Amino acid sequence: MKTPIYYFSGTGNCLKIARELADELGDAEVISIAKAAKSKVDVAAERIGIVFPVYALNMPAILFDFISKMEADASKYIFGVMTYADVGGDALIQLARELRRKGLKLSAGFGIRMPGNYTPFYGAIPVEKQLLFFNAAHKRIVEEIAPAIREGRIHKIERSKFPLNLLTWALYPLVLPMTPSEDKKFWADERCNGCGICQKVCPVDNIRLQDGRPSWKHRCVQCFACLQWCPTQALQFGKSTKGRKRYHHPEAVLQDFINSERGNSAAD
Ligand SMILES: Cc1cc2nc3c(=O)[nH]c(=O)nc-3n(C[C@H](O)[C@H](O)[C@H](O)COP(=O)(O)O)c2cc1C
Ligand code: SF4
Ligand code: SF4
């Protein structure tokens, strides 16, 4: 049976890692969590992968929802990969905990550093530096991660060093309740042409165009796909993102992120 590798991704880092793992493992299928989380998650396979980005040292909110839809079966070999820019904290430990609550077990957890995409804090790093991250990630997947998974090895759940890891748990009570309405900081400047791409890439259908301008519905998961994929760089978050270089993985294409075919005149 094929190994499903479930991924969540706003800008392609996790999608790329999931694809590389699938290539290395063979007979694997890369599946979007944004799409899978809409119904019951089929966990019939013996080996299952979960790849996600770290947000504020935590798992993305959508992961909690996704895991709640998995069926209990402690016999599965589940591996997790978190991608992060600087500090991943205890996000994989959090994944292990959520799986345990569902009667599932995380057998291996790997943290991979990738270019950051949190534009409120920084712009995209130069391409040469991005390549260093991609090459290091590829090497690790080929030499260490894929072989461990192939052999079904129990591998330590990677985490940031103490005391940085504790930030995950310090932020946890704040992050999840605040995330849905953080979208009130998004706005579109005068370059918005009403193309509707922000609406189409949103994994949780949180954007509507009203009179040709995006508005946010407060069920955001903070993936930043809307801001990063806006073709005119009109989309801003707070005061600091204007003029900052946008980021997406160079091998990711817009089509990979289209979650909704909703037309650009839709409103509700
Ligand atoms: C809302 C948000 C919060 C983030 N928080 C962190 C963080 O706490 N630590 C970190 O190292 N990277 C953080 N990042 C960076 C992402 O984890 C990283 O760039 C990831 O590889 C993006 O994956 P993607 O391209 O698949 O979306 C954050 C990104 C976003 C959008
Ligand atoms: S993607 Fe950008 S230009 Fe297109 S509707 Fe959204 S904000 Fe406007
Ligand atoms: S509104 Fe933007 S940041 Fe929020 S979930 Fe949708 S695409 Fe992601």
Side-chain angles (χ1 to χ4, degrees):
M1 177 174 286
K2 273 195 170 152
T3 301
I5 303 179
Y6 293 98
Y7 74 92
F8 183 65
S9 185
T11 57
N13 289 346
C14 292
L15 174 58
K16 172 66 178 169
I17 296 294
R19 283 179 172 159
E20 285 196 3
L21 275 167
D23 286 347
E24 282 303 310
L25 294 175
D27 206 22
E29 186 185 4
V30 167
I31 303 169
S32 156
I33 285 180
K35 289 177 185 152
K38 287 185 179 137
S39 52
K40 212 173 103 202
V41 180
D42 177 11
V43 287
E46 287 309 308
R47 190 167 68 180
I48 298 160
I50 300 176
V51 185
F52 67 91
V54 173
Y55 294 163
L57 289 96
N58 278 254
M59 279 196 318
I62 197 169
L63 259 290
F64 289 88
D65 186 35
F66 171 74
I67 293 163
S68 75
K69 290 180 174 148
M70 293 175 84
E71 279 167 22
D73 186 342
S75 71
K76 309 282 176 197
Y77 180 86
I78 303 183
F79 61 93
V81 179
M82 64 174 177
T83 79
Y84 63 96
D86 292 302
V87 187
D90 264 354
L92 279 168
I93 303 287
Q94 202 168 43
L95 173 65
R97 192 180 73 162
E98 291 306 307
L99 287 170
R100 204 161 46 242
R101 284 182 171 162
K102 281 295 294 184
L104 293 154
K105 185 174 178 299
L106 185 67
S107 299
F110 307 91
I112 298 184
R113 271 190 87 188
M114 290 293 264
N117 65 352
Y118 192 61
T119 314
F121 284 1
Y122 45 74
I125 59 170
V127 175
E128 317 80 69
K129 282 200 180 151
Q130 293 180 19
L131 277 176
L132 297 178
F133 284 109
F134 302 149
N135 292 340
H138 180 71
K139 191 167 183 303
R140 217 179 147 217
I141 286 172
V142 172
E143 293 178 2
E144 183 195 341
I145 301 177
I149 295 168
R150 233 182 269 121
E151 289 167 22
R153 246 183 270 151
I154 305 298
H155 185 281
K156 75 165 184 230
I157 313 300
E158 294 176 353
R159 64 204 302 190
S160 297
K161 286 203 174 78
F162 177 84
L164 269 183
N165 66 314
L166 296 183
L167 285 172
T168 295
W169 309 107
L171 290 169
Y172 173 62
L174 306 173
V175 171
L176 281 186
M178 281 171 63
T179 296
S181 58
E182 270 291 278
D183 63 3
K184 57 184 181 293
K185 295 183 187 155
F186 283 117
W187 55 285
D189 70 24
E190 66 290 348
R191 288 171 292 182
C192 175
N193 61 16
C195 70
I197 286 174
C198 50
Q199 180 175 268
K200 290 182 183 178
V201 296
C202 180
V204 289
D205 209 12
N206 185 40
I207 301 178
R208 290 286 180 280
L209 283 207
Q210 281 169 340
D211 302 323
R213 314 275 296 183
S215 68
W216 286 263
K217 301 294 166 194
H218 313 314
R219 48 173 181 261
C220 184
V221 291
Q222 286 281 292
C223 68
F224 271 65
C226 51
L227 180 140
Q228 303 291 1
W229 289 100
C230 169
T232 63
Q233 306 204 353
L235 231 159
Q236 313 299 337
F237 186 85
K239 292 184 182 150
S240 61
T241 56
K242 221 169 185 175
R244 278 207 178 132
K245 208 166 182 319
R246 284 6 188 193
Y247 174 79
H248 63 76
H249 190 285
E251 288 175 39
V253 294
L254 176 63
Q255 200 53 39
D256 292 325
F257 294 85
I258 301 292
N259 286 296
S260 151
E261 285 307 329
R262 191 182 284 278
N264 63 5
S265 60
D268 67 11

